[in-house]
Amino acid sequence: MAKGSNVGLAALSDDTGSVIVSLRWSSAAGDGDADVSVLLLDGNGKVRTDADFFFYNNPAAADGSVQLLGKTPTDSGSEDRISLDLTAVPRDVERIVVAASRYGGSCFGELDDLRVTLADRSGEALLGFSITDAGVESAFIFSELYRRGEEWKFRAVGQGYETGLAGLATDFGIDIDAEGEDEGDAVEVPAVEQVPKADEPRPPAVESPAAFPTEAASGAQPVGVEPTPKRVPGPRTAKKKVTLPKVAKKSLAENDSWRPARLFPAPSLKSDKERELRATSVLLSVMAEVPELGRRLTAAFGAPAGRMQSFTEVTLPHGDTPKRPDGVIRVERAGKLWTALVETKTNGNPLKSDQVQNYMDIAARRGYEAVITLSNDVALEGSPLVDVRTDGRRKHKVALWHLSWAEVAHQAQMLIRHEGVGNAAHAWLLQELLHYLQHENSGCHGFQNMGPAWVPVRNGIDAETLCQGDHRAVEVVESWERLIRQVCLRLGGELGQKALPVQRAKRGTDPHSRRAVLADRLCDEGRLTAELRIDGTPGVLAITADLRTARLRTSIEIQAPDGSYPLTSAKRLIRLLAEAPADLHVETLVEGGNGPRGTLERLRPEPADMLPKDGARMTGFRLSLFKGMGATRGSAESGFIRSVDESVDRFYASVVAQLISFERRQVSRSQPVEPAAVG
């Protein structure tokens, strides 16, 4: 579409009651990002209330009309998807504005391939619009949907704002806290009140600079006393959301051998069939009873916002042999039904193409909308988990979607620990679901096997016989990518922050070509590498698995503060890492190369040893922890996957979390503290 053009949705598809809007961009550096937002406007072009503004801290409408689905990694960046159920949009809403904003002084001109696409409920793209003239703008309206009589139309907008999110929101009647405009590019956006997240409230939408924090010159608090966090202003909902309490209630058990009763017990499961039946029944029942989870998991698949029911082991006719999918999900809205068949695998068992093909054929004949596969595997762009064919002659389209158990656990954790659900009973159900998924006998632990190519590739690297072009190296690269995406899901769920893999591929690179290049590099260097970007983290977290030395390295680079003396920067870093492990490696970064390095244990008494000896300008530091790599391909105690998880967890908890905590303390001390509002 051209900028400013419009089209009626009825002209694009017979079924546009529920649509998916996707915003995507790429970054040559691999670390560019933006936050999406949606505004519901009345006939005057203004929001009815601040609650009509949907963003990271208010991701869903109570009526299901709007659901921010979060970020999905792509081969050159990331994609944000938004589910819009147009049948649920209130009648007094005339326009739906889809926008995005950047932060920390960044602008959209630094991003490439800005594009918005509209897809129907099956996921088939209906139209697209690319923004090619982005420059210094820090906020953009990508598109809008608007009513014309009983029809919805789509308009390609492409309007930018140099004033950022504040300017955009103010134009549509959102009350912005003026105080935030004096703090870099920070903007205090309205927030729907809920129970605080795991540790403290999410900071304003400002990306932390990749530099270690400087100490405040004034306003210091007594040692050991945390300042009261600044309250984020905004409207309150009628009812607070419920999350898990920070501190568990004291147990009434006499000793640790007393096990709490569980709604979904797992220890008795003995076969894969039992695990599949139990896992399907547990998940589908909780989805039907906890609407926030049911909507969160099905909105991306085109399901409307409505009454959900779920079923297991339903027998459906299919030629001479009836078939029994593991589950069926049905959603009713305004007298219409949306139906999806569910095929489940647990314990690392692979999906079978013939089974899924049968369910696709049944769904097409019966007019169902989707088939959902659920397994331990994480889906990758350009690498389907099953090979199915569709009959293009059929008018009715059936969408094939995939969920990993890691994604289910991630969404459950986001709801129960950070965003909250409607009542305590729903919170308890989610807690029981999470306990079941995480039980060692449930078989729902996510991606847990590096595949049959893992051992031959490791042996080939040891013997130096692995050559470029070996297809087994590509298989290992795909498994590594799945593992990294699962690590991001787990970290994001635990922290309540966006965590995404960083892709540094050239523009236009297709997934197969990118993985082939990485596979050839693995053959030459014997290393697997990945980078993670986690919101609020001062830098990109890097992971390297050296298959030749059997060691894992987790690291982060932080910049030295501008204008600071080198020795002052070194001493400040040592103080910042007071609680970090003694075996932490610290490497000084200088212009044109690397400087001195050593363990924290050696450098603590002599910070001056970190200074470059030749007078070169110091640009920052690289902090690294090393760990032995698991030998087997699985997630057992001695497995490679377990060692990667433990390595990332240790580095984040003992190093990165200290950087973040120190930075938040300094920001809080440098700002006036407002008393918390009562009520």
Side-chain angles (χ1 to χ4, degrees):
M1 293 183 68
K3 183 175 181 178
S5 60
N6 62 77
V7 63
L9 299 190
L12 302 175
S13 173
D14 294 333
D15 184 11
T16 54
S18 180
V19 295
I20 303 292
V21 180
S22 300
L23 276 59
R24 68 162 59 201
W25 41 77
S26 62
S27 168
D31 56 357
D33 199 11
D35 279 339
V36 302
S37 52
V38 175
L39 299 99
L40 304 184
L41 310 181
D42 59 18
N44 298 317
K46 304 291 184 182
V47 296
R48 300 167 302 169
T49 71
D50 285 353
D52 282 341
F53 181 32
F54 300 95
F55 58 107
Y56 62 81
N57 209 29
N58 181 32
D63 58 13
S65 58
V66 179
Q67 174 78 61
L68 304 190
L69 302 173
K71 294 186 182 294
T72 300
T74 64
D75 279 287
S76 56
S78 63
E79 178 181 81
D80 262 289
R81 294 183 299 161
I82 305 158
S83 171
L84 299 176
D85 186 350
L86 301 179
T87 65
V89 176
R91 292 297 306 175
D92 55 346
V93 171
E94 295 289 332
R95 292 164 57 197
I96 304 173
V97 172
V98 179
S101 56
R102 302 205 70 196
Y103 31 83
S106 300
C107 61
F108 277 92
E110 299 166 349
L111 299 178
D112 300 317
D113 307 319
L114 299 174
R115 185 170 176 81
V116 56
T117 58
L118 181 77
D120 62 16
R121 68 169 76 245
S122 70
E124 180 175 339
L126 303 176
L127 55 83
F129 165 56
S130 295
I131 297 175
T132 58
D133 57 352
V136 297
E137 301 89 351
S138 53
F140 249 100
I141 297 177
F142 279 65
S143 61
E144 67 178 19
L145 291 96
Y146 61 99
R147 293 185 193 267
R148 278 295 180 268
E150 295 300 316
E151 182 187 11
W152 282 95
K153 303 187 77 173
F154 178 94
R155 177 182 288 122
V157 180
Q159 176 185 346
Y161 287 76
E162 293 184 31
T163 50
L165 180 62
L168 185 153
T170 302
D171 269 7
F172 296 116
I174 297 289
D175 294 328
I176 296 294
D177 182 14
E179 205 176 285
E181 298 178 15
D182 297 326
E183 301 167 6
D185 285 319
V187 175
E188 297 284 3
V189 291
V192 176
E193 182 177 311
Q194 62 184 45
V195 176
K197 296 182 179 180
D199 296 316
E200 56 188 12
R202 180 188 176 107
V206 181
E207 189 172 82
S208 302
F212 71 84
T214 57
E215 294 178 289
S218 62
Q221 300 289 323
V223 175
V225 177
E226 290 289 334
T228 303
K230 183 178 179 181
R231 181 182 179 85
V232 179
R236 296 193 180 102
T237 54
K239 186 193 301 184
K240 287 186 177 181
K241 296 287 188 178
V242 179
T243 59
L244 286 180
K246 294 181 181 179
V247 180
K249 293 182 179 179
K250 183 180 178 181
S251 174
L252 301 181
E254 289 186 2
N255 54 62
D256 293 341
S257 66
W258 287 29
R259 297 182 179 179
R262 290 294 177 187
L263 183 63
F264 309 121
S268 61
L269 300 175
K270 296 179 180 179
S271 68
D272 287 340
K273 185 62 176 177
E274 282 184 283
R275 291 186 181 90
E276 288 177 9
L277 291 173
R278 178 72 60 84
T280 304
S281 183
V282 167
L283 175 60
L284 296 191
S285 64
V286 175
M287 286 174 60
E289 292 302 320
V290 182
E292 294 91 344
L293 180 66
R295 181 67 182 145
R296 180 71 59 89
L297 293 179
T298 59
F301 304 153
R307 182 173 68 96
M308 178 182 292
Q309 277 193 318
S310 54
F311 310 86
T312 59
E313 294 291 296
V314 176
T315 300
L316 298 172
H318 183 63
D320 297 331
T321 309
K323 302 298 179 183
R324 298 178 63 186
D326 293 315
V328 178
I329 300 173
R330 288 205 124 167
V331 181
E332 178 197 32
R333 182 171 186 86
K336 294 183 178 180
L337 288 175
W338 178 91
T339 307
L341 305 181
V342 180
E343 170 63 8
T344 304
K345 295 295 180 184
T346 59
N347 215 33
N349 292 312
L351 293 161
K352 297 179 180 178
S353 295
D354 57 340
Q355 278 186 323
V356 178
Q357 183 69 65
N358 287 335
Y359 300 144
M360 291 287 289
D361 294 340
I362 292 172
R365 286 198 307 271
R366 300 181 70 84
Y368 298 161
E369 283 71 24
V371 172
I372 301 172
T373 58
L374 182 61
S375 72
N376 304 89
D377 275 327
V378 178
L380 297 180
E381 188 175 5
S383 182
L385 295 173
V386 290
D387 182 22
V388 298
R389 64 186 185 278
T390 56
D391 189 345
R393 296 170 298 178
R394 291 184 184 272
K395 183 178 180 180
H396 181 75
K397 294 178 295 185
V398 179
L400 177 61
W401 304 98
H402 180 72
L403 266 178
S404 72
W405 288 112
E407 291 174 272
V408 174
H410 167 81
Q411 298 295 357
Q413 288 199 69
M414 289 298 295
L415 286 170
I416 194 173
R417 296 181 178 174
H418 309 290
E419 297 172 11
V421 291
N423 58 55
H426 289 170
W428 176 71
L429 279 173
L430 282 180
Q431 184 179 19
E432 291 299 300
L433 170 65
L434 270 175
H435 182 271
Y436 178 84
L437 295 179
Q438 294 167 352
H439 193 281
E440 60 183 8
N441 201 33
S442 70
C444 304
H445 301 128
F447 177 71
Q448 54 185 5
N449 194 312
M450 291 295 289
W454 175 248
V455 173
V457 166
R458 285 196 64 173
N459 292 339
I461 289 174
D462 287 340
E464 298 187 6
T465 57
L466 192 66
C467 301
Q468 289 190 2
D470 193 318
H471 70 91
R472 296 174 300 179
V474 176
E475 292 178 23
V476 169
V477 166
E478 289 184 348
S479 295
W480 172 250
E481 190 173 337
R482 289 188 170 95
L483 173 57
I484 294 304
R485 293 200 179 181
Q486 179 167 289
V487 169
C488 288
L489 288 169
R490 184 174 56 80
L491 277 179
E494 292 173 357
L495 302 174
Q497 302 283 7
K498 290 177 293 184
L500 289 171
V502 174
Q503 302 287 8
R504 300 188 186 274
K506 295 180 180 179
R507 292 178 61 180
T509 303
D510 68 271
H512 299 290
S513 299
R514 180 180 62 81
R515 291 174 189 133
V517 170
L518 295 176
D520 288 345
R521 189 179 304 167
L522 171 62
C523 295
D524 290 342
E525 303 174 359
R527 290 195 296 267
L528 294 165
T529 60
E531 293 178 304
L532 314 183
R533 184 180 67 249
I534 305 169
D535 268 12
T537 298
V540 173
L541 194 155
I543 309 169
T544 300
D546 193 325
L547 276 64
R548 286 178 174 155
T549 62
R551 288 212 305 173
L552 290 166
R553 174 178 183 161
T554 45
S555 62
I556 191 170
E557 292 185 9
I558 53 177
Q559 297 176 2
D562 292 335
S564 177
Y565 290 108
L567 183 58
T568 302
S569 296
K571 289 181 177 179
R572 187 174 293 141
L573 179 65
I574 295 300
R575 288 197 298 272
L576 175 63
L577 298 171
E579 301 300 323
D583 62 339
L584 178 70
H585 283 240
V586 181
E587 180 180 0
T588 303
L589 304 178
V590 299
E591 285 186 337
N594 300 326
R597 67 184 70 182
T599 63
L600 191 58
E601 182 178 32
R602 183 178 70 81
L603 294 172
R604 273 174 174 152
E606 296 293 340
D609 289 350
M610 299 165 61
L611 304 184
K613 306 303 180 185
D614 55 1
R617 191 175 79 86
M618 186 173 68
T619 60
F621 304 94
R622 180 185 293 117
L623 311 178
S624 306
L625 279 177
F626 294 87
K627 173 183 171 59
M629 199 171 73
T632 61
R633 67 187 186 186
S635 57
E637 194 67 35
S638 60
F640 174 73
I641 293 175
R642 176 73 64 87
S643 64
V644 172
D645 285 338
E646 291 175 350
S647 180
V648 172
D649 289 348
R650 182 186 180 220
F651 186 75
Y652 191 93
S654 62
V655 180
V656 178
Q658 291 195 42
L659 301 176
I660 298 172
S661 176
F662 187 86
E663 180 175 272
R664 288 178 177 171
R665 289 200 301 269
Q666 298 309 321
V667 170
S668 298
R669 291 173 181 175
S670 63
Q671 295 175 351
V673 177
E674 292 184 355
V678 178

mmCIF file of all heavy atoms in Angstrom, residues 284-311:
data_model
loop_
_atom_site.group_PDB
_atom_site.id
_atom_site.type_symbol
_atom_site.label_atom_id
_atom_site.label_comp_id
_atom_site.label_asym_id
_atom_site.label_seq_id
_atom_site.Cartn_x
_atom_site.Cartn_y
_atom_site.Cartn_z
ATOM 1 N N LEU A 284 -5.643 -27.340 28.892
ATOM 2 C CA LEU A 284 -6.890 -26.869 28.305
ATOM 3 C C LEU A 284 -7.917 -26.499 29.367
ATOM 4 O O LEU A 284 -8.695 -25.555 29.187
ATOM 5 C CB LEU A 284 -7.462 -27.919 27.362
ATOM 6 C CG LEU A 284 -6.620 -28.256 26.114
ATOM 7 C CD1 LEU A 284 -7.437 -29.100 25.143
ATOM 8 C CD2 LEU A 284 -6.112 -27.002 25.431
ATOM 9 N N SER A 285 -7.941 -27.234 30.474
ATOM 10 C CA SER A 285 -8.899 -26.891 31.536
ATOM 11 C C SER A 285 -8.566 -25.550 32.172
ATOM 12 O O SER A 285 -9.462 -24.741 32.449
ATOM 13 C CB SER A 285 -8.931 -27.994 32.596
ATOM 14 O OG SER A 285 -7.675 -28.106 33.254
ATOM 15 N N VAL A 286 -7.276 -25.273 32.398
ATOM 16 C CA VAL A 286 -6.887 -23.990 32.990
ATOM 17 C C VAL A 286 -7.134 -22.852 32.001
ATOM 18 O O VAL A 286 -7.562 -21.757 32.380
ATOM 19 C CB VAL A 286 -5.407 -24.018 33.435
ATOM 20 C CG1 VAL A 286 -4.966 -22.649 33.942
ATOM 21 C CG2 VAL A 286 -5.211 -25.065 34.530
ATOM 22 N N MET A 287 -6.881 -23.092 30.712
ATOM 23 C CA MET A 287 -7.167 -22.061 29.710
ATOM 24 C C MET A 287 -8.641 -21.670 29.717
ATOM 25 O O MET A 287 -8.985 -20.487 29.573
ATOM 26 C CB MET A 287 -6.771 -22.562 28.320
ATOM 27 C CG MET A 287 -5.284 -22.607 28.055
ATOM 28 S SD MET A 287 -4.888 -23.386 26.458
ATOM 29 C CE MET A 287 -5.743 -22.291 25.316
ATOM 30 N N ALA A 288 -9.523 -22.645 29.875
ATOM 31 C CA ALA A 288 -10.954 -22.363 29.860
ATOM 32 C C ALA A 288 -11.407 -21.648 31.128
ATOM 33 O O ALA A 288 -12.343 -20.838 31.079
ATOM 34 C CB ALA A 288 -11.740 -23.667 29.680
ATOM 35 N N GLU A 289 -10.743 -21.922 32.249
ATOM 36 C CA GLU A 289 -11.169 -21.342 33.521
ATOM 37 C C GLU A 289 -10.475 -20.020 33.843
ATOM 38 O O GLU A 289 -10.993 -19.226 34.620
ATOM 39 C CB GLU A 289 -10.916 -22.342 34.659
ATOM 40 C CG GLU A 289 -11.789 -23.572 34.610
ATOM 41 C CD GLU A 289 -13.274 -23.224 34.646
ATOM 42 O OE1 GLU A 289 -13.661 -22.304 35.408
ATOM 43 O OE2 GLU A 289 -14.047 -23.854 33.896
ATOM 44 N N VAL A 290 -9.307 -19.791 33.286
ATOM 45 C CA VAL A 290 -8.574 -18.530 33.517
ATOM 46 C C VAL A 290 -8.571 -17.772 32.189
ATOM 47 O O VAL A 290 -7.733 -18.020 31.320
ATOM 48 C CB VAL A 290 -7.134 -18.791 33.997
ATOM 49 C CG1 VAL A 290 -6.412 -17.474 34.270
ATOM 50 C CG2 VAL A 290 -7.133 -19.676 35.238
ATOM 51 N N PRO A 291 -9.517 -16.871 32.000
ATOM 52 C CA PRO A 291 -9.671 -16.238 30.681
ATOM 53 C C PRO A 291 -8.434 -15.482 30.220
ATOM 54 O O PRO A 291 -8.173 -15.409 29.017
ATOM 55 C CB PRO A 291 -10.866 -15.293 30.877
ATOM 56 C CG PRO A 291 -11.024 -15.142 32.356
ATOM 57 C CD PRO A 291 -10.524 -16.405 32.967
ATOM 58 N N GLU A 292 -7.659 -14.927 31.169
ATOM 59 C CA GLU A 292 -6.453 -14.205 30.758
ATOM 60 C C GLU A 292 -5.468 -15.124 30.043
ATOM 61 O O GLU A 292 -4.865 -14.752 29.034
ATOM 62 C CB GLU A 292 -5.771 -13.561 31.969
ATOM 63 C CG GLU A 292 -6.563 -12.461 32.643
ATOM 64 C CD GLU A 292 -7.445 -12.971 33.772
ATOM 65 O OE1 GLU A 292 -7.673 -14.203 33.848
ATOM 66 O OE2 GLU A 292 -7.902 -12.145 34.575
ATOM 67 N N LEU A 293 -5.312 -16.349 30.554
ATOM 68 C CA LEU A 293 -4.395 -17.295 29.914
ATOM 69 C C LEU A 293 -4.978 -17.818 28.607
ATOM 70 O O LEU A 293 -4.273 -17.899 27.590
ATOM 71 C CB LEU A 293 -4.093 -18.467 30.847
ATOM 72 C CG LEU A 293 -3.137 -19.517 30.270
ATOM 73 C CD1 LEU A 293 -1.746 -18.935 30.077
ATOM 74 C CD2 LEU A 293 -3.080 -20.758 31.153
ATOM 75 N N GLY A 294 -6.253 -18.177 28.614
ATOM 76 C CA GLY A 294 -6.875 -18.670 27.392
ATOM 77 C C GLY A 294 -6.797 -17.653 26.270
ATOM 78 O O GLY A 294 -6.470 -17.987 25.127
ATOM 79 N N ARG A 295 -7.072 -16.406 26.595
ATOM 80 C CA ARG A 295 -7.016 -15.356 25.575
ATOM 81 C C ARG A 295 -5.582 -15.120 25.125
ATOM 82 O O ARG A 295 -5.316 -14.932 23.934
ATOM 83 C CB ARG A 295 -7.615 -14.063 26.136
ATOM 84 C CG ARG A 295 -7.629 -12.900 25.155
ATOM 85 C CD ARG A 295 -8.565 -13.160 24.009
ATOM 86 N NE ARG A 295 -8.557 -12.067 23.040
ATOM 87 C CZ ARG A 295 -8.693 -12.230 21.744
ATOM 88 N NH1 ARG A 295 -8.831 -13.450 21.247
ATOM 89 N NH2 ARG A 295 -8.691 -11.211 20.927
ATOM 90 N N ARG A 296 -4.648 -15.124 26.064
ATOM 91 C CA ARG A 296 -3.243 -14.872 25.746
ATOM 92 C C ARG A 296 -2.696 -15.915 24.769
ATOM 93 O O ARG A 296 -1.944 -15.593 23.854
ATOM 94 C CB ARG A 296 -2.418 -14.863 27.033
ATOM 95 C CG ARG A 296 -0.929 -14.607 26.864
ATOM 96 C CD ARG A 296 -0.663 -13.159 26.475
ATOM 97 N NE ARG A 296 -1.156 -12.224 27.451
ATOM 98 C CZ ARG A 296 -0.440 -11.786 28.491
ATOM 99 N NH1 ARG A 296 0.785 -12.225 28.671
ATOM 100 N NH2 ARG A 296 -0.944 -10.902 29.322
ATOM 101 N N LEU A 297 -3.086 -17.170 24.968
ATOM 102 C CA LEU A 297 -2.533 -18.239 24.141
ATOM 103 C C LEU A 297 -3.241 -18.397 22.800
ATOM 104 O O LEU A 297 -2.651 -18.914 21.849
ATOM 105 C CB LEU A 297 -2.580 -19.570 24.899
ATOM 106 C CG LEU A 297 -1.672 -19.679 26.131
ATOM 107 C CD1 LEU A 297 -1.847 -21.038 26.801
ATOM 108 C CD2 LEU A 297 -0.215 -19.453 25.769
ATOM 109 N N THR A 298 -4.500 -17.969 22.688
ATOM 110 C CA THR A 298 -5.243 -18.186 21.445
ATOM 111 C C THR A 298 -5.429 -16.931 20.604
ATOM 112 O O THR A 298 -5.756 -17.037 19.419
ATOM 113 C CB THR A 298 -6.635 -18.782 21.734
ATOM 114 O OG1 THR A 298 -7.364 -17.874 22.580
ATOM 115 C CG2 THR A 298 -6.514 -20.132 22.425
ATOM 116 N N ALA A 299 -5.215 -15.758 21.180
ATOM 117 C CA ALA A 299 -5.421 -14.524 20.410
ATOM 118 C C ALA A 299 -4.503 -14.470 19.198
ATOM 119 O O ALA A 299 -4.898 -14.018 18.120
ATOM 120 C CB ALA A 299 -5.184 -13.305 21.309
ATOM 121 N N ALA A 300 -3.264 -14.960 19.364
ATOM 122 C CA ALA A 300 -2.311 -14.945 18.250
ATOM 123 C C ALA A 300 -2.728 -15.888 17.130
ATOM 124 O O ALA A 300 -2.230 -15.777 16.007
ATOM 125 C CB ALA A 300 -0.920 -15.330 18.757
ATOM 126 N N PHE A 301 -3.643 -16.804 17.416
ATOM 127 C CA PHE A 301 -4.086 -17.776 16.419
ATOM 128 C C PHE A 301 -5.408 -17.372 15.773
ATOM 129 O O PHE A 301 -6.033 -18.176 15.081
ATOM 130 C CB PHE A 301 -4.233 -19.160 17.056
ATOM 131 C CG PHE A 301 -2.981 -19.647 17.737
ATOM 132 C CD1 PHE A 301 -3.044 -20.543 18.794
ATOM 133 C CD2 PHE A 301 -1.730 -19.197 17.334
ATOM 134 C CE1 PHE A 301 -1.894 -20.994 19.421
ATOM 135 C CE2 PHE A 301 -0.576 -19.639 17.956
ATOM 136 C CZ PHE A 301 -0.651 -20.534 18.998
ATOM 137 N N GLY A 302 -5.843 -16.145 16.022
ATOM 138 C CA GLY A 302 -7.052 -15.649 15.392
ATOM 139 C C GLY A 302 -8.333 -15.945 16.131
ATOM 140 O O GLY A 302 -9.427 -15.693 15.601
ATOM 141 N N ALA A 303 -8.254 -16.446 17.355
ATOM 142 C CA ALA A 303 -9.472 -16.736 18.115
ATOM 143 C C ALA A 303 -10.116 -15.427 18.573
ATOM 144 O O ALA A 303 -9.424 -14.491 18.957
ATOM 145 C CB ALA A 303 -9.150 -17.609 19.329
ATOM 146 N N PRO A 304 -11.436 -15.359 18.552
ATOM 147 C CA PRO A 304 -12.104 -14.152 19.048
ATOM 148 C C PRO A 304 -12.091 -14.118 20.566
ATOM 149 O O PRO A 304 -11.753 -15.110 21.225
ATOM 150 C CB PRO A 304 -13.533 -14.308 18.506
ATOM 151 C CG PRO A 304 -13.733 -15.795 18.443
ATOM 152 C CD PRO A 304 -12.393 -16.360 18.051
ATOM 153 N N ALA A 305 -12.454 -12.979 21.112
ATOM 154 C CA ALA A 305 -12.595 -12.859 22.563
ATOM 155 C C ALA A 305 -14.007 -13.285 22.929
ATOM 156 O O ALA A 305 -14.974 -12.608 22.586
ATOM 157 C CB ALA A 305 -12.337 -11.424 23.000
ATOM 158 N N GLY A 306 -14.133 -14.422 23.588
ATOM 159 C CA GLY A 306 -15.464 -14.905 23.914
ATOM 160 C C GLY A 306 -15.414 -16.024 24.929
ATOM 161 O O GLY A 306 -14.398 -16.265 25.577
ATOM 162 N N ARG A 307 -16.513 -16.728 25.052
ATOM 163 C CA ARG A 307 -16.601 -17.837 26.004
ATOM 164 C C ARG A 307 -15.850 -19.040 25.443
ATOM 165 O O ARG A 307 -16.115 -19.487 24.335
ATOM 166 C CB ARG A 307 -18.071 -18.195 26.243
ATOM 167 C CG ARG A 307 -18.293 -19.303 27.267
ATOM 168 C CD ARG A 307 -19.770 -19.462 27.553
ATOM 169 N NE ARG A 307 -20.492 -19.983 26.388
ATOM 170 C CZ ARG A 307 -20.779 -21.267 26.212
ATOM 171 N NH1 ARG A 307 -20.404 -22.165 27.112
ATOM 172 N NH2 ARG A 307 -21.458 -21.660 25.146
ATOM 173 N N MET A 308 -14.925 -19.564 26.245
ATOM 174 C CA MET A 308 -14.092 -20.680 25.804
ATOM 175 C C MET A 308 -14.473 -21.960 26.523
ATOM 176 O O MET A 308 -14.705 -21.963 27.733
ATOM 177 C CB MET A 308 -12.607 -20.365 26.041
ATOM 178 C CG MET A 308 -11.657 -21.503 25.656
ATOM 179 S SD MET A 308 -9.912 -21.126 25.997
ATOM 180 C CE MET A 308 -9.612 -19.828 24.807
ATOM 181 N N GLN A 309 -14.518 -23.057 25.762
ATOM 182 C CA GLN A 309 -14.643 -24.390 26.331
ATOM 183 C C GLN A 309 -13.591 -25.278 25.685
ATOM 184 O O GLN A 309 -13.209 -25.075 24.530
ATOM 185 C CB GLN A 309 -16.038 -24.976 26.091
ATOM 186 C CG GLN A 309 -17.086 -24.524 27.088
ATOM 187 C CD GLN A 309 -18.346 -25.366 26.999
ATOM 188 O OE1 GLN A 309 -18.820 -25.701 25.911
ATOM 189 N NE2 GLN A 309 -18.900 -25.726 28.135
ATOM 190 N N SER A 310 -13.133 -26.258 26.438
ATOM 191 C CA SER A 310 -12.105 -27.161 25.909
ATOM 192 C C SER A 310 -12.515 -28.606 26.169
ATOM 193 O O SER A 310 -13.220 -28.909 27.132
ATOM 194 C CB SER A 310 -10.751 -26.856 26.562
ATOM 195 O OG SER A 310 -10.850 -26.894 27.975
ATOM 196 N N PHE A 311 -12.027 -29.494 25.295
ATOM 197 C CA PHE A 311 -12.405 -30.897 25.345
ATOM 198 C C PHE A 311 -11.172 -31.746 25.053
ATOM 199 O O PHE A 311 -10.228 -31.296 24.405
ATOM 200 C CB PHE A 311 -13.497 -31.197 24.308
ATOM 201 C CG PHE A 311 -14.669 -30.256 24.347
ATOM 202 C CD1 PHE A 311 -14.630 -29.053 23.647
ATOM 203 C CD2 PHE A 311 -15.790 -30.544 25.094
ATOM 204 C CE1 PHE A 311 -15.701 -28.167 23.682
ATOM 205 C CE2 PHE A 311 -16.865 -29.667 25.142
ATOM 206 C CZ PHE A 311 -16.825 -28.470 24.433
#
